Amino acid sequence: MPPSPHHRVESPDASTIFGYHDLTPPTTADVYRARRVLSDRLPRTPLVKSEWLSNEYDAKIHLKREDTLPTGSFKIRGITCLLAGLDEEFRQQGVVTASTGNYGRALSQAARWFDTDAIVAVPEGTGQNRIDGIERLGGRVEVVGADYDDAAEWAADLAAEKGYRYVHPGNERRVIAGTGTAGLEIAEALPEVDVVLGPIGAGSIGAGYGLSVGRITDADVIGVQAANVDAAYQAWQSGDLTPQEEADTFADGIAARVPYALPMELMREHVDEMYTVSEAAIIESVATVFREERILMEGACAPPFAILETLRDEINGETVVIPVTGRNLPGSKVEHVVTDV
């Protein structure tokens, strides 16, 4: 007999997957299908030219304000798409995932919309405002593990034991397709776009934007990761999915030390270039964007802003889009970046 889809199966990377995880790469057509699913739930997000950045880099730089979405980050797109197609048995039992905040908020909100229960494992040290945000939306929070990937393994164990649907941090084709709907909005609002710069953690932005705006315009899709947690960057370069030992970065929303097979397959095909940036550059970018634009963004948003100086000559005269991926900066980090600003 074939194994039950509810059992763990052999994984192509260092994470846990179950039989219900479809690792077939989504297509651009899947992104359009995802937009139909999301059209009644989520608004289009603003695409706003930054006069400050445009003047600073002699380019036409626009910000895609994903931070204006419900729950305050882009992740509601992919999670809503996933839960819209949830099997009835899982709708009755519930869903579980790991998160440093935004994935958990998104899962909790979508679980409300689709009448199921959500459990969110967060690592030790997660900001209390992020935990509160998940619980306000009806999610049950469990604080487990030293980092994100430890929490993910706990969530997978609970799914195996109790029959919850494990919402994988990276290997979810519907999540990638849903994330890519922002890329469709960019392409339609700004078809002359030359470069899209996105932050990379688990890889849904790189994969989703590569499938959408990267396929239907002439734009280069460029990913930027924190140098302290550069597992995806290394995997994009080499194809090797070996995880890192530690994940320590101010940009905790992209602190994934395990490279995931599905988004990596897509990024290696559709992402044109990848870079890494230092912790100092990430923190400085959060502070500078707040000072100049009064946008209080998360550390996870910052890598594309931090790479602009490196790309100054390359983007001169070009039309550039950067997504502002989330606004849920922990209170302690708010104090760190806005002091004397």
Side-chain angles (χ1 to χ4, degrees), residues 302-323:
F305 294 88
I307 204 65
L308 287 173
E309 188 61 36
T310 299
L311 299 179
R312 177 180 287 275
D313 291 340
E314 183 176 333
I315 64 174
N316 182 272
E318 300 285 271
T319 299
V320 180
V321 174
I322 304 174

Side-chain angles (χ1 to χ4, degrees), residues 28-310:
T28 304
D30 289 318
V31 181
Y32 278 99
R33 294 185 187 101
R35 182 161 69 175
R36 290 204 302 268
V37 171
L38 299 181
S39 62
D40 293 336
R41 296 282 181 183
L42 301 177
R44 289 183 174 235
T45 56
L47 185 64
V48 182
K49 186 179 180 183
S50 169
E51 297 297 341
W52 156 60
L53 287 172
S54 297
N55 291 334
E56 180 71 21
Y57 294 100
D58 196 20
K60 297 178 283 291
I61 300 180
H62 296 73
L63 306 182
K64 181 64 168 165
R65 296 295 305 275
E66 295 290 272
D67 58 314
T68 64
L69 286 166
T71 75
S73 88
F74 78 96
K75 293 191 176 180
I76 191 66
R77 291 182 185 265
I79 289 291
T80 300
C81 189
L82 177 67
L83 262 62
L86 194 66
D87 290 344
E88 183 58 31
E89 64 174 297
F90 289 126
R91 199 181 305 277
Q92 293 179 8
Q93 184 67 4
V95 292
V96 61
T97 198
S99 176
T100 56
N102 285 334
Y103 213 48
R105 281 178 184 252
L107 188 69
S108 300
Q109 177 62 79
R112 274 186 169 184
W113 284 339
F114 296 105
D115 194 26
T116 191
D117 294 326
I119 302 169
V120 181
V122 304
E124 298 167 4
T126 298
Q128 188 61 44
N129 68 322
R130 294 189 171 187
I131 293 173
D132 292 343
I134 293 168
E135 291 179 337
R136 276 195 297 268
L137 293 169
R140 188 183 106 202
V141 175
E142 299 287 345
V143 181
V144 289
D147 62 20
Y148 178 88
D149 295 288
D150 286 345
E153 279 306 297
W154 182 92
D157 288 343
L158 185 68
E161 178 184 354
K162 301 292 188 181
Y164 297 111
R165 170 56 159 87
Y166 176 50
V167 179
H168 195 280
N171 293 327
E172 296 282 4
R173 66 191 311 274
R174 286 178 176 266
V175 169
I176 292 170
T179 300
T181 59
L184 298 183
E185 294 174 16
I186 293 169
E188 291 165 357
L190 202 66
E192 67 273 23
V193 61
D194 298 300
V195 178
V196 179
L197 297 168
I200 302 299
S204 64
I205 281 185
Y209 284 34
L211 280 176
S212 54
V213 62
R215 289 293 303 275
I216 60 180
T217 72
D218 294 327
D220 287 338
V221 175
I222 297 175
V224 195
Q225 190 165 46
N228 273 17
V229 191
D230 67 346
Y233 171 80
Q234 297 295 340
W236 182 84
Q237 296 275 10
S238 67
D240 183 1
L241 300 179
T242 301
Q244 294 178 319
E245 291 298 320
E246 297 180 346
D248 183 15
T249 174
F250 184 86
D252 55 352
I254 54 171
R257 58 182 171 84
V258 176
Y260 302 118
L262 181 56
M264 189 53 59
E265 179 179 350
L266 289 161
M267 285 197 293
R268 296 196 81 208
E269 180 177 357
H270 298 295
V271 169
D272 297 281
E273 189 55 82
M274 284 266 282
Y275 295 92
T276 63
V277 292
S278 70
E279 289 298 293
I282 288 171
I283 295 168
E284 178 60 27
S285 293
V286 175
T288 303
V289 170
F290 179 72
R291 181 177 63 244
E292 299 293 341
E293 294 279 9
R294 281 301 187 260
I295 297 172
L296 186 57
M297 66 183 189
E298 298 174 26
C301 306
F305 294 88
I307 204 65
L308 287 173
E309 188 61 36
T310 299

